[in-house]
Amino acid sequence: MHELASTRTLLLNSSYEPMRIVSWQKALILWFQGKVEVLEYHQIFARSVRSNHQLPSILRLKTYVRSRSRGDIRFSRENVYIRDDYTCQYCYEVYPTRLLTLDHVIPASKDGKKTWTNVVTACRECNQKKAARTPEQAKMPLKTPPRVPSWLPVVQWELKPGTVPPAWLQYLASKKVG
Ligand SMILES: [Zn+2]
């Protein structure tokens, strides 16, 4: 059962692409302003003096908003883990965050940069094994070539695993591209 305070709303573009997650207060404001249509509701109500509002779970903008460009997604440790699905890119296993680290594909000692396209998720063991070598030198092929992520982490970085309302999944899963 969700607490009112932690209730959030998934905001979709008019094209049904997820844009971001907003507080329920922000969701009600958008709704009252007539900028969105409600696709799904939470089974949660917010009471005010005069009325009782069922809180929206998924909103869709009536007008298309151009989403942020790819480069705007913040480069951070957590976002690299999210992009790589918490999977070591060398042994292809999923690990809890405390056992993960970031690996420079082209080692920093060989001028490899700390960027989306040169940093991947690795478990500590693989990270040590690979050491200051390229994947080719270490004979440790990457699971997926690292890329600048598309929109998905923009939404996901705000979510803790297991807290995603089931109704959201069809919108999050179907767009997992790039
Ligand atoms: Zn590994």
Side-chain angles (χ1 to χ4, degrees):
M1 187 64 194
H2 284 79
E3 298 287 330
L4 181 61
S6 63
T7 298
R8 312 253 224 132
T9 300
L10 178 63
L11 178 64
L12 303 178
N13 213 333
S14 62
S15 58
Y16 292 91
E17 279 176 322
M19 296 196 69
R20 58 199 185 94
I21 295 161
V22 298
S23 66
W24 65 265
Q25 293 94 332
K26 173 76 177 172
L28 288 182
I29 291 167
L30 288 169
W31 189 18
F32 296 154
Q33 288 174 337
K35 292 181 176 170
V36 293
E37 63 168 330
V38 180
L39 299 184
E40 298 274 350
Y41 289 91
H42 287 297
Q43 292 303 313
I44 301 173
F45 295 81
R47 288 179 177 77
S48 65
V49 181
R50 282 187 216 140
S51 53
N52 195 9
H53 299 291
Q54 187 166 10
L55 299 181
S57 170
I58 302 176
L59 294 177
R60 176 179 170 236
L61 286 169
K62 289 180 179 171
T63 309
Y64 185 77
V65 171
R66 206 160 278 289
S67 51
R68 326 178 186 199
S69 71
R70 291 173 158 229
D72 287 344
I73 296 175
R74 190 168 53 95
F75 178 88
S76 70
R77 173 176 296 271
E78 188 65 20
N79 286 338
V80 172
Y81 293 164
I82 291 168
R83 180 197 64 186
D84 296 340
D85 290 328
Y86 297 86
T87 305
C88 171
Q89 297 298 295
Y90 297 108
C91 69
Y92 312 169
E93 297 282 337
V94 176
Y95 290 92
T97 306
R98 68 191 157 81
L99 297 178
L100 289 174
T101 186
L102 296 182
D103 178 70
H104 283 70
V105 177
I106 306 296
S109 59
K110 294 182 175 131
D111 276 340
K113 300 283 183 283
K114 195 167 187 175
T115 58
W116 281 116
T117 52
N118 192 49
V119 171
V120 296
T121 303
C123 71
R124 294 185 181 280
E125 201 176 318
C126 287
N127 187 258
Q128 278 175 13
K129 198 167 119 192
K130 177 171 171 282
R133 296 179 293 177
T134 65
E136 291 75 26
Q137 290 167 340
K139 296 194 168 55
M140 296 170 70
L142 285 165
K143 184 167 186 282
T144 315
R147 300 190 231 183
V148 179
S150 54
W151 56 270
L152 194 66
V154 176
V155 168
Q156 279 201 339
W157 76 39
E158 300 181 52
L159 296 173
K160 295 191 186 75
T163 62
V164 183
W168 294 12
L169 293 176
Q170 60 176 310
Y171 297 103
L172 298 176
S174 64
K175 298 288 181 180
K176 191 172 180 179
V177 291

